[in-house]
Amino acid sequence: MKYELEPFDPEKLRHAWHQRRLSGEPIDRSGVWRFRELIPFVEPGARIISLSEGSTPVVGTRRAGWWAGPVHLTIKHQGNNPTGSFKDLGMTACITRADSRHVRRVACASTGNTSSSMAAYAARAGMKALVFVPYRQISAAKLAQALDFGALVVEVGDTFDEAFRLLREIAPELGLYLVNSVNPFRIEGQKTIVAELMEQRAWRPPDYMVVPGGNLGNASAIGKGLRELKELGFIEKVSRILVIQAAGANPFYRTLEADSPTLIPVCTPETEATAIRIGHPANWKKAKRVLEWSRGFCESVTDEEIFEAKRILAEDGVGCEPASAATVAGVRKLVRAGKIERHADVVCVLTGNQLKDTEYIMRHRSTAEESRQRLRVEPTAEALREALQAALAVPA
Ligand code: F0G
C-alpha cells in the first residue's frame, strides 16, 4: 500500500508519540494506533477495534546472546500481545478497516495464530469469523483460542497452503473478507513494530532484525516500516533484515539460494514449528525485495537447532513458541558461518508466546535426558526425601 505520507517533522512527531503513552485513551494506549500518522487509512471518527495491542517489551538476553554469537542479543517479545502473538498488530488495523466498510464476515487460513487473533478482533467488532486450518496441524492452544472467541473453525486439508488455496477459491461466492497477510491493512498494522522498537532504542536501529519466515508477511511489513521511517527522516541507518525458516519448510531459502526467478515451493512442508509450516509463501516477492533493499538474507535451521535455541532462551527466563526460537538458532548459524559479525547488535523478534504450544514443550521435556525434571513420588515423607536427595545430587 502506497501513501503520500505528509512531510512530518520527525522531532515533533516523536514527541507526540511519546506523550500518547501517558494518555488514557484506548487509541493512544494501543502500540499500533499510537503511531497512527504512519497508517493514515482510517477516516477521522471511525471506530477503532483495539485490544490495546503492541507496547511489547524489549529484553536483553545474556546467555542466549553468548550462545548465539557472542552477539548483543535483544528480544522484542511479540508474544506479549493480547492473543499472544505478533498477529494482533496487523489484526487491529485490518478489522478496523473492515468494520469501517461494514464487513460482516471475515475469514482466514491459518497455522493457528492468525486465527486466534482474527477470532478475537472479529468478536470485538461483532463480525462472524471463519477460520480455515489444516486438520490436526495446529496447536491445541491456538485452536482453543479460536473456539473460545466464537469462531467457526473449518478443518480442511493437510497443510496451510491447501487450506489457503481452498479459502481463496470459495471466498468470493460466500462474501468472505480475507484477512490473511495478503490483505494490505495487515501489513500496515504490523509495520508499526518498527516505530515502537526504534522508540524503545532511542531511534538507534540495530545492525540486524531477525524474524521467522512463514507466509513472509512479517518480513515484508518490517521492511516497509523501516523504509518509511528512513525516508521520513526518523532513522539514519537501516537494519539488515534476516528471515529464518525451518529446514523442512524453507521454500524462500531454496528460492534465494538457487537465485530462481520463480518460487521453489515445498509441497509437503514438515516441521515441529507448526506456525511456519508453509510451503507456498504468498508474500515471497515482497520479502525478496525487502532483503535486497536492506542487504539482508535468509537462513534455514533444523528442528533440533530450533529446540536448542528455545532451551537457551528459557535459561534466560524467556519463553516463546518454537517458530520464534528459529530466529536465535539462525543467528547462531550465521555467526558461525561468518555472515554476522561477532558482537553485532541483533534484535530477534519473538513472534509467539510460550503457552501457544505446550504439547511441544511436554514432548521435549519428557524425553529421557530431560525426565529428571519430573518426579512422580509416593506420598510419604520417606519416599520424597529419597527421591529429592537423588535428584538434587545431580549437578544442575
Ligand atoms: N511466527 C509465528 C508464531 C507465526 O504464527 C507465524 C505465522 C510466523 C512466525 C511467520 O510469519 O507468515 O508473516 O512469515 N503464522 C501464520 C498464521 C501463517 O496463520 O498464524 P509470516
Side-chain angles (χ1 to χ4, degrees), residues 1-3 38-39 41 89-95 97 168 177-192 217 220-221 224 228 283 286:
M1 177 170 296
K2 279 220 162 79
Y3 310 109
L38 299 177
I39 46 172
F41 59 80
L89 270 63
M91 210 52 76
T92 183
C94 174
I95 298 293
R97 168 72 182 192
R168 281 178 120 167
Y177 181 82
L178 271 195
V179 161
N180 280 96
S181 57
V182 290
N183 182 311
F185 300 100
R186 285 272 310 283
I187 303 285
E188 291 303 298
Q190 271 171 225
K191 80 181 182 191
T192 61
S220 308
K224 187 167 196 281
E228 289 178 359
N283 296 297
K286 263 189 236 158

Side-chain angles (χ1 to χ4, degrees), residues 84-87 108-116 142 160 180-181 186 190 211-220 243 245 274-278 281 283 321-324 349-353 356:
S85 84
F86 74 103
K87 305 286 181 183
C108 69
S110 181
T111 57
N113 280 324
T114 302
S115 58
S116 309
K142 295 173 188 176
F160 164 87
N180 280 96
S181 57
R186 285 272 310 283
Q190 271 171 225
V211 286
N215 217 15
L216 298 169
N218 204 24
S220 308
V243 174
Q245 295 205 294
T274 53
I276 51 173
R277 189 172 168 271
I278 293 178
N283 296 297
E321 67 171 283
S324 310
V349 179
L350 297 191
T351 43
N353 189 282
K356 283 286 194 172

Side-chain angles (χ1 to χ4, degrees), residues 105-109 118 128 130-132 167 176-180:
R105 282 182 188 168
V106 289
C108 69
M118 184 188 78
K128 182 77 193 160
L130 277 77
V131 158
F132 284 50
L167 171 60
L176 299 174
Y177 181 82
L178 271 195
V179 161
N180 280 96

